[in-house]
Amino acid sequence: MALDFTAIDFETANGFRGSPCSVGLSKVRGGVVVEEASWLMRPPENHDHFEFHNTRIHGIRAEDVAGQPRFGELFPEIGAFIGGDILAAHNAAFDLGVIRSGLEVSGLPGPAYEFVCTVMLSRRCYSLVSNSLPYAAEEAGVPLVNHHDAAEDARACAGILVDIARRNNANSIAELYLSLGLTVPKQPAFDPSAGLSKATLSALAARLGTSAGGTAGNGSVGQRDARSGAWSTWREEGPNPVPNAAAEPGHPLFGQTVVFTGDLAIPRPEAKSRAADMGARPESRVTARTTVLVVGDGFVAGDLRAGRLTGKAKRVLELHAKGQQIEVVSEGEFLQMVGGN
């Protein structure tokens, strides 16, 4: 088997994807993990504040990375470990975005990478009610005890890709993508002096106070609950924007029909707009067309087993049990996909 690649996973300090504080890497040769590496790091300057929500997820605090090199200083070592490998990540839009935004705000150019998204492959090759890493790893028979430890998450991602290749009788990434009728996507090389990505520009604008808090990206205004900080549900659905036909076909939301439920951390019209930007079709209720349900209220994948679900989520489970290809996604996973805070 010539199944060679490097799996990568980042954890970030805050909602900006260019704030990496930890990375894990697993190098695979012939379908077997042969080398691993992980680092703690300080995020780039001016983007190094740690938000409670992020620390609650991965447990890393500012004092844990004090004295560590910043991401820009460490990236030569990360890049040397990756070499010329194809990168694999569970929700590659996020992890490739971390590299790009992290280097951009560090004033550094970045190399081109071919990459594989195991969320997208999981959707195509498994039939799961959630394709979050714990569920996909369980399906692949990969141990995942400490989710959100970057090294363990990278190792699980590697195991998922190896399992999917085996199920498709593919001996390489090229064979796997050919068997699925897909082309391996590529993030081109970039130089921040030639222009910044949209995610980085948005983060810089927010830091400078030029973006209006409490206003949706499409001009719709929501209302926050003073106690919970969530956006209220009154009149919040808004119109369903048309999918962006020019979006990247390899993005995990491209071509999906997305419905939102529960209290979100952003106004629902803005969530719909972000989904449409990625090529998804937002709708307001669960139907036979629905393929993705994004759940707010602090939902995590484990809630599917615990039964802490909204009415829409219960409807999704009913449809999934009847054979409809439909997936439940947390708002955090959705925001990683669309590169938002």
Side-chain angles (χ1 to χ4, degrees):
M1 178 179 283
L3 190 65
D4 301 341
F5 61 90
T6 292
I8 190 167
D9 180 81
F10 282 102
E11 300 297 329
T12 57
N14 53 68
F16 173 45
R17 64 187 187 184
S19 64
C21 59
S22 174
V23 65
L25 300 116
S26 290
K27 186 174 289 291
V28 173
R29 291 292 180 265
V32 177
V33 174
V34 296
E35 188 178 0
E36 295 184 318
S38 62
W39 288 275
L40 289 174
M41 69 198 76
R42 282 186 296 159
E45 191 174 2
N46 297 320
H47 301 277
D48 51 3
H49 64 285
F50 279 72
E51 293 178 357
F52 170 77
H53 174 72
N54 294 65
T55 295
R56 183 180 61 183
I57 290 173
H58 52 56
I60 302 171
R61 303 164 298 172
E63 51 265 39
D64 297 323
V65 301
Q68 298 291 338
R70 291 198 186 273
F71 172 69
E73 299 168 327
L74 190 60
F75 187 76
E77 291 187 60
I78 298 171
F81 186 95
I82 297 169
D85 279 4
I86 293 174
L87 276 178
H90 203 72
N91 189 8
F94 171 74
D95 294 282
L96 270 293
V98 170
I99 293 175
R100 174 151 192 167
S101 288
L103 289 176
E104 285 179 334
V105 296
S106 301
L108 298 171
Y113 287 115
E114 290 186 298
F115 65 90
V116 171
C117 179
T118 50
V119 170
M120 184 271 290
L121 292 176
S122 175
R123 283 180 176 159
R124 282 181 170 262
C125 300
Y126 298 152
S127 181
L128 304 175
V129 71
S130 170
N131 288 291
S132 66
L133 190 63
Y135 279 78
E138 181 181 49
E139 178 69 15
V142 179
L144 180 61
V145 177
N146 189 17
H147 184 28
H148 293 298
D149 173 86
E152 189 164 345
D153 285 359
R155 190 183 309 127
C157 172
I160 292 165
L161 182 50
V162 170
D163 178 67
I164 288 173
R166 178 187 58 79
R167 294 189 188 201
N168 286 273
N169 298 311
N171 292 315
S172 68
I173 300 294
E175 280 190 22
L176 174 60
Y177 269 65
L178 184 64
S179 71
L180 297 173
L182 301 171
T183 301
V184 178
K186 185 174 185 177
Q187 174 169 282
F190 57 89
D191 188 329
S193 64
L196 302 177
S197 64
K198 182 178 178 181
T200 299
L201 287 172
S202 296
L204 292 174
R207 186 168 66 84
L208 294 171
T210 55
S211 63
T215 302
N218 63 357
S220 300
V221 178
Q223 180 176 359
R224 281 192 184 275
D225 182 277
R227 180 172 55 85
S228 69
W231 289 86
S232 64
T233 56
W234 65 275
R235 298 181 181 176
E236 69 173 1
E237 282 289 343
N240 293 314
V242 175
N244 175 15
E248 171 57 53
H251 192 278
L253 289 177
F254 186 87
Q256 304 294 326
T257 299
V258 181
V259 175
F260 297 87
T261 186
D263 288 330
L264 306 178
I266 60 175
R268 197 165 293 180
E270 181 179 351
K272 287 185 172 185
S273 178
R274 292 190 187 188
D277 283 345
M278 301 301 164
R281 181 178 300 281
E283 292 192 344
S284 299
R285 61 189 182 92
V286 175
T287 68
R289 294 185 298 273
T290 306
T291 58
V292 175
L293 180 73
V294 178
V295 184
D297 299 310
F299 165 86
V300 294
D303 291 339
L304 290 170
R305 292 194 175 100
R308 192 176 74 85
L309 300 170
T310 66
K312 285 182 180 178
K314 291 176 181 176
R315 174 62 176 153
V316 161
L317 293 182
E318 293 171 1
L319 292 172
H320 191 272
K322 294 178 181 178
Q324 183 171 337
Q325 294 299 308
I326 193 166
E327 177 187 2
V328 180
V329 173
S330 71
E331 184 185 14
E333 291 171 312
F334 169 75
L335 288 174
Q336 281 193 344
M337 292 179 188
V338 299
N341 295 325

